[in-house]
Amino acid sequence: MIFFDPESESLLLPEKLVFSLTVGGLNSHLLSVKEKVLLLFLKRDLKRVVKFGGGKLHLAWKPYRTVYQCENFTVALSPFGAPNAVALAEELYAFGGRVFLVFGYCGSLSPELRGGDLFLPQMAIREEGTSYHYLPPEEMAEGSEGLVDFLYDFFQKKGFSVKKGVIWTTDAIYRETKRKIEKYCSEGCMAVDMETSAMFCWGKAKNVHVASLLMVSDGFIDGKWQPFFKNGSFILKRKKILKALTEAYSSLKI
């Protein structure tokens, strides 16, 4: 089945849905967001960035979305998964967002990526459904080169272990099978997540800049899954990364 429809406009527009579900819908200008948008998936990460960036709750988006305005960018809390991240990005784009950075977590498929490392996908394997509504199947899912390079250079200079490469994005977190992992590893894939390929394709379709900065939270080692979430070093490094991320995105010139 072909999901991509190159001709038709959607009958459900994000601004219309947001108007109907938020306080700001009474005055649409109140919903405006900054050009730079940061999407996060964990409440604790949101709290850190808001603290580091001096963010204030964007009341107009309540009770539908959790959105904060920092001095130089907007930050929003997204549910996990490709459909949710892209839906939120669509809504924030409708009210002014033009550069989108996703900070999340990934599983390592490569011995080059260890727990707590940073990974910047340049390309993504499209094994989710959302991207196929935005671009035809033959299109590549690619991040914005300039934004990826900026983040890579910034975090390298800060002394973090960061690598660039290919990621596998899947909707089915519990179907990361041995055969698939071996296949994608053999094709040079270094990590797996649930949102990147959809965000990249959405960005290409909308002609906006999109990048994903991912922290390695788990991995497949010798055929077994190993989590790093509760490691003391992982927790400390995450705080440092979020502080550096806030600094990096604040300093980014559009």
Side-chain angles (χ1 to χ4, degrees), residues 58-78:
H58 199 334
L59 292 172
W61 283 83
K62 297 292 285 181
Y64 178 52
R65 296 290 193 187
T66 302
V67 179
Y68 282 79
Q69 295 282 51
C70 294
E71 184 177 352
N72 295 309
F73 61 89
T74 295
V75 58
L77 184 67
S78 173

Side-chain angles (χ1 to χ4, degrees), residues 146-192:
L147 185 52
V148 170
D149 289 344
F150 166 79
L151 293 165
Y152 180 80
D153 291 342
F154 184 94
F155 281 93
Q156 282 274 85
K157 290 174 182 176
K158 289 288 185 178
F160 291 96
S161 176
V162 54
K163 291 182 173 61
K164 295 186 284 188
V166 180
I167 195 165
W168 159 35
T169 299
T170 177
D171 282 335
I173 188 172
Y174 297 118
R175 290 299 296 162
E176 297 173 32
T177 63
K178 180 180 179 181
R179 185 178 299 177
K180 282 190 176 183
I181 291 169
E182 289 175 349
K183 175 183 183 294
Y184 291 134
C185 283
S186 70
E187 296 175 359
C189 193
M190 297 180 69
V192 59

Side-chain angles (χ1 to χ4, degrees), residues 46-67:
L46 178 70
K47 289 180 181 179
R48 292 285 186 192
V49 169
V50 168
K51 178 182 177 181
F52 294 139
K56 295 182 179 179
L57 184 63
H58 199 334
L59 292 172
W61 283 83
K62 297 292 285 181
Y64 178 52
R65 296 290 193 187
T66 302
V67 179

Side-chain angles (χ1 to χ4, degrees), residues 1-236:
M1 182 175 179
I2 303 298
F3 297 141
F4 180 63
D5 182 352
E7 302 297 334
S8 299
E9 293 278 336
S10 175
L11 296 182
L12 173 58
L13 299 176
E15 53 268 39
K16 297 295 185 182
L17 182 62
V18 172
F19 286 162
S20 69
L21 295 174
T22 62
V23 175
L26 300 174
N27 292 288
S28 61
H29 70 279
L30 297 176
L31 290 158
S32 64
V33 300
K34 297 183 184 295
E35 286 189 84
K36 293 187 294 184
V37 173
L38 174 63
L39 300 187
L40 303 170
F41 299 100
L42 298 180
K43 289 183 179 180
R44 60 173 172 257
D45 293 348
L46 178 70
K47 289 180 181 179
R48 292 285 186 192
V49 169
V50 168
K51 178 182 177 181
F52 294 139
K56 295 182 179 179
L57 184 63
H58 199 334
L59 292 172
W61 283 83
K62 297 292 285 181
Y64 178 52
R65 296 290 193 187
T66 302
V67 179
Y68 282 79
Q69 295 282 51
C70 294
E71 184 177 352
N72 295 309
F73 61 89
T74 295
V75 58
L77 184 67
S78 173
F80 287 106
N84 291 315
V86 169
L88 176 56
E90 282 270 25
E91 292 161 5
L92 294 167
Y93 172 85
F95 292 95
R98 293 298 180 268
V99 179
F100 288 78
L101 174 58
V102 179
F103 175 78
Y105 299 88
C106 66
S108 172
L109 303 181
S110 168
E112 294 183 49
L113 286 177
R114 300 179 180 180
D117 285 353
L118 287 172
F119 185 60
L120 278 162
Q122 296 166 294
M123 297 176 58
I125 295 170
R126 301 168 60 184
E127 200 181 271
E128 39 68 38
T130 305
S131 68
Y132 294 94
H133 294 274
Y134 287 91
L135 292 178
E138 64 272 14
E139 287 274 357
M140 298 295 296
E142 300 168 298
S144 299
E145 185 177 359
L147 185 52
V148 170
D149 289 344
F150 166 79
L151 293 165
Y152 180 80
D153 291 342
F154 184 94
F155 281 93
Q156 282 274 85
K157 290 174 182 176
K158 289 288 185 178
F160 291 96
S161 176
V162 54
K163 291 182 173 61
K164 295 186 284 188
V166 180
I167 195 165
W168 159 35
T169 299
T170 177
D171 282 335
I173 188 172
Y174 297 118
R175 290 299 296 162
E176 297 173 32
T177 63
K178 180 180 179 181
R179 185 178 299 177
K180 282 190 176 183
I181 291 169
E182 289 175 349
K183 175 183 183 294
Y184 291 134
C185 283
S186 70
E187 296 175 359
C189 193
M190 297 180 69
V192 59
D193 85 328
M194 297 182 68
E195 297 88 16
T196 296
S197 64
M199 285 297 300
F200 283 179
C201 289
W202 173 79
K204 287 179 75 173
K206 290 289 186 179
N207 196 30
V208 298
H209 298 290
V210 176
S212 289
L213 177 68
L214 306 174
M215 188 176 181
V216 178
S217 60
D218 56 289
F220 295 94
I221 300 169
D222 298 326
K224 295 181 180 180
W225 179 73
Q226 181 175 335
F228 308 121
F229 313 108
K230 294 184 179 180
N231 291 3
S233 59
F234 178 89
I235 294 170
L236 288 173

